[in-house]
Amino acid sequence: MRFSAYSRWLAAGLGAIASLLAAVEVPSLAVAQADVRPRPQVAQQPEAEAATRRPLRPLPAEAAALLWPELTLPSDRQALIQAINHSLTYLATPKAAADYQAYPVPGVTRDRVYRSLQRLRQLVVISPSPAAFQAALRREFVVYESIGADGEGTVAYTGYFEPQYRASAVPTAEYRYPLYRRPPTLDNWPLPHPTRLDLEGVDGLASSNGPLAGLELVWLASRLEAFLVQVQGSAKLQLTDGRVMSVGYAGRTEYPYTSIGRALVNDGKIDPDNLSLPNLLAYFEAHPEALDRYLPQNERFIFFREGGEGPPTGSLSVPVTAGYSIATDKSVLPPGAIAVIQVPLPQQTPDGDWEEQPTTRLVLDQDTGGAIIGPGRVDLFVGSGAQAGEMAGRINTPGRLYYLLLRP
């Protein structure tokens, strides 16, 4: 087990690192900044109670008035247009019709989302200035806000990227640890689903004896690398035969996410103040046998689909775009829709340092992930390779999340 050659690269930026190291929670800073004054308890009618449980709520006009001036045309309009086109492709599919059939927020329909995207694309193309763009958005669109993890709109942001690993299209003595295709009968598997231990065994090599037999997509040399791809939900693979393959998220088993980093802390293997990806990698490098104990503790298992040599494919079966695609829980937030992220994001300075800059940006909701649960979690896709990884690993902060829809 040799991690040292790439541990520094991984340490600089495993996307969604909060998911790997600890159970995802809204950072304490978010609680400190929230309005915690006691609120009067008012008896609610059934419809009002249902509304409070919905993942999105209309943003009041006075709050929306503060948002519109922050929405500007990007310097690279083509990247945003490309992301919009990918969402339109998804929304034209039967899958999108099924996904929106029981969407819980009244008025948020596939047709309305589709028309909103068409109009946004037109405005991005024809708007002569940021002021004209903002005026059109204010005039034609309304804003919905995610209720967040706390019901007050606080959303925990992480970043993810497309890591790059060596892999083989066939099993060999060196490449032994598979990634797996989605089982065709997954939707009909009885509950509880098989655990990670059931599916791949203690050592990660027992799949030929269970329901994953024959579903191997590609093989990696490191069991931990294969696990990290599951945490990421996608990867770029340099195959031994010279080909390049992308793999993307295709589904999961129905178990809660369990952090192996938190398990190491609970067992006294890593001091909680020193819990970081470099220290986690160092622990498994020194104790490779511990993988058999800790990886099965995350019972959730992720399945993949094969992509091509282009950008990675998100859960909507369309490519994701660096800086313009987010991953959310698609059971509660509208797939393919126009979103607005509002969060401090790391930016590299000319001298190579990093600093956070408040960012408000139009994005598209085009992906999901195994640890992205509820309306209070967002993962921002930042690209592929080591530079993107370094940025992704620095995103772990609270923010806000909005969605734009054409006025009814």
Side-chain angles (χ1 to χ4, degrees):
M1 190 67 62
R2 293 171 48 193
F3 303 133
S4 58
Y6 58 87
S7 63
R8 186 168 184 267
W9 177 80
L10 280 174
L14 179 68
I17 190 170
S19 303
L20 177 66
L21 298 179
V24 175
E25 299 175 343
V26 176
S28 58
L29 175 62
V31 177
Q33 292 178 338
D35 180 1
V36 294
R37 291 170 297 176
R39 287 178 167 78
Q41 299 299 310
V42 179
Q44 302 218 356
Q45 298 301 315
E47 175 60 25
E49 291 178 352
T52 63
R53 295 193 297 269
R54 290 169 185 153
L56 296 177
R57 59 191 170 207
L59 188 67
E62 59 272 19
L66 301 176
L67 181 65
W68 298 124
E70 301 294 322
L71 296 179
T72 188
L73 288 166
S75 57
D76 180 9
R77 298 193 195 191
Q78 191 55 44
L80 177 56
I81 292 169
Q82 180 184 60
I84 294 170
N85 287 340
H86 292 324
S87 277
L88 288 169
T89 296
Y90 155 74
L91 287 163
T93 65
K95 182 182 185 305
D99 291 343
Y100 273 94
Q101 191 166 14
Y103 189 71
V105 180
V108 181
T109 65
R110 180 181 69 150
D111 177 67
R112 189 179 178 194
V113 172
Y114 189 88
R115 289 185 291 104
S116 299
L117 283 160
Q118 286 183 311
R119 180 55 177 158
L120 177 65
R121 181 176 60 182
Q122 185 179 37
L123 291 174
V124 173
V125 171
I126 68 172
S127 294
S129 67
F133 181 67
Q134 292 163 356
L137 292 179
R138 183 193 295 261
R139 184 172 60 251
E140 300 183 35
F141 287 80
V142 294
V143 184
Y144 288 77
E145 179 184 28
S146 169
I147 64 171
D150 56 0
E152 299 294 329
T154 304
V155 173
Y157 278 82
T158 49
Y160 74 108
F161 73 112
E162 185 183 39
Q164 298 177 344
Y165 298 116
R166 293 279 296 172
S168 173
V170 296
T172 69
E174 180 180 3
Y175 294 92
R176 301 187 296 156
Y177 298 99
L179 302 177
Y180 299 89
R181 297 179 178 87
R182 179 189 176 97
T185 59
L186 178 62
D187 292 339
N188 298 320
W189 281 11
L191 296 175
H193 282 167
T195 65
R196 178 179 297 275
L197 183 63
D198 296 330
L199 292 172
E200 64 177 12
V202 172
D203 61 359
L205 296 172
S207 64
S208 60
N209 300 321
L212 300 186
L215 294 175
E216 296 88 352
L217 177 62
V218 68
W219 284 261
L220 281 75
S222 160
R223 185 182 181 189
L224 185 57
E225 283 184 351
F227 181 82
L228 295 179
V229 175
Q230 291 204 22
V231 174
Q232 280 294 120
S234 66
K236 183 83 74 177
L237 304 176
Q238 179 65 56
L239 301 183
T240 55
D241 61 12
R243 291 182 296 136
V244 176
M245 174 194 293
S246 290
V247 293
Y249 177 91
R252 64 175 177 85
T253 56
E254 292 299 327
Y255 284 99
Y257 180 84
T258 299
S259 162
I260 61 171
R262 183 55 52 190
L264 288 169
V265 167
N266 292 343
D267 288 349
K269 305 299 184 181
I270 297 178
D271 186 276
D273 293 335
N274 295 322
L275 181 58
S276 65
L277 184 57
N279 289 339
L280 183 146
L281 292 171
Y283 178 82
F284 285 123
E285 184 172 12
H287 306 280
E289 73 285 352
L291 291 170
D292 294 350
R293 169 178 171 80
Y294 286 100
L295 296 196
Q297 292 188 32
N298 181 26
E299 296 181 325
R300 175 179 289 178
F301 203 87
I302 307 300
F303 304 107
F304 295 90
R305 63 168 60 90
E306 180 180 351
E309 296 189 12
T313 298
S315 62
L316 305 186
S317 299
V318 296
V320 290
T321 303
Y324 291 101
S325 294
I326 59 172
T328 67
D329 184 345
K330 293 299 179 291
S331 69
V332 295
L333 295 175
I338 307 163
V340 177
I341 59 171
Q342 194 167 60
V343 62
L345 290 180
Q347 300 293 332
Q348 195 163 26
T349 63
D351 58 5
D353 294 331
W354 290 84
E355 61 183 21
E356 287 192 340
Q357 294 185 0
T359 302
T360 302
R361 181 189 300 167
L362 287 161
V363 296
L364 284 303
D365 195 338
Q366 297 174 326
D367 205 358
T368 192
I372 306 300
I373 305 297
R377 283 286 285 115
V378 172
D379 223 0
L380 172 65
F381 178 64
V382 298
S384 301
Q387 180 74 7
E390 187 169 357
M391 179 178 181
R394 295 174 181 272
I395 303 174
N396 186 19
T397 186
R400 317 290 286 195
L401 176 67
Y402 307 98
Y403 288 82
L404 300 188
L405 289 167
L406 282 173
R407 295 185 182 276

